[in-house]
Amino acid sequence: MNIILLHVFIVIFISVHIQCISHPKPSCGYPPSQWCSSLEIAIECGVRKQCMELNATRPDPVVPLDVTLYYESLCPGSRAFLTEQLFPTWTLLKDIMEVNLVPFGNAMEIPEENSFICQHGEPECYANMIEACILHAAGQSAFHVIYCMVSSADVLKSAKSCLELCAPFVKWATIESCAVGDLGHRLMHENAMKTQALQPEHTYVPWITFNGEHTSEWEDKAMSTLFSLVCDLYKGIKPPACTGALKN
């Protein structure tokens, strides 16, 4: 937020500076907000030098680290990682990391039967479907809903109350309809395709990728020190939380 405010201040300062010192040529028909939008306009308005200075002071855009979790809804290891590592780390570092959840794991798709077989039985297939539908319908609140579900004693029984608590704008009937209908099946098929496309091929769950890449070393570190790993892998300016973590 401080970086954004600084950027806004710089833009305002340069615009005022340009208006007060470098009077635009009479032929410049653009408002100050557009003077630096292109080289041609900057030249026409006689503010090329000032625009170059402005561009030099602009902070680099934040490109968050993509952390994708391929998991199973009822897998104890997946639930432990999500509740003990992924959600707490995201809560602290959400400005520099983007989390994607892919509930499918070691399940199998049976196209000829239009169905799925899951490692922990039919309840897990249904829970996977419920979570896929929540991810589709709840937007930015979906991670909170799923964290609430997997951290409870019963993932499926808690789904409705977690949805009402964390994403009250989504009706439970919408999720139920999705889970038993064509939309839920399509979402699960997409998760199957994403999981099967992994390179290297996943051999266990949870399976974690960082910017689409997976290594055994990263996986081992993620299971116990995900916070430090995200700080280490993020290539932008480290936030204060990371600076402290990397010193330890």
Side-chain angles (χ1 to χ4, degrees), residues 82-207:
L82 197 152
T83 57
E84 297 171 12
Q85 294 292 329
L86 187 58
F87 189 82
T89 298
W90 174 77
T91 300
L92 295 172
L93 299 177
K94 63 177 65 178
D95 289 339
I96 66 168
M97 67 181 292
E98 179 178 341
V99 171
N100 292 291
L101 302 177
V102 184
F104 189 78
N106 296 326
M108 294 177 57
E109 184 174 18
I110 313 298
E112 59 271 17
E113 297 180 8
N114 200 34
S115 64
F116 301 91
I117 298 176
C118 298
Q119 186 171 358
H120 298 89
E122 184 59 31
E124 182 167 77
C125 281
Y126 186 62
N128 286 345
M129 198 82 75
I130 288 289
E131 292 186 6
C133 291
I134 289 172
L135 288 165
H136 176 77
Q140 295 182 351
S141 298
F143 195 12
H144 292 87
V145 179
I146 291 177
Y147 168 74
C148 175
M149 291 171 59
V150 300
S151 60
S152 66
D154 191 305
V155 173
L156 278 172
K157 287 184 179 180
S158 66
K160 182 179 180 180
S161 58
C162 286
L163 183 72
E164 293 171 347
L165 175 66
C166 302
F169 55 90
V170 179
K171 301 299 183 182
W172 175 245
T174 300
I175 302 301
E176 281 189 313
S177 176
C178 169
V180 299
D182 292 338
L183 176 57
H185 190 278
R186 177 173 63 81
L187 294 172
M188 194 53 52
H189 171 71
E190 291 175 358
N191 286 348
M193 294 297 99
K194 293 177 183 177
T195 304
Q196 293 167 12
L198 283 168
Q199 293 294 332
E201 181 180 352
H202 91 284
T203 54
Y204 49 81
V205 291
W207 186 268

Side-chain angles (χ1 to χ4, degrees), residues 40-55:
E40 291 76 12
I41 294 176
I43 293 174
E44 180 179 341
C45 294
V47 292
R48 178 180 178 182
K49 179 181 177 181
Q50 288 83 352
C51 289
M52 291 177 64
E53 293 173 351
L54 173 61
N55 289 331

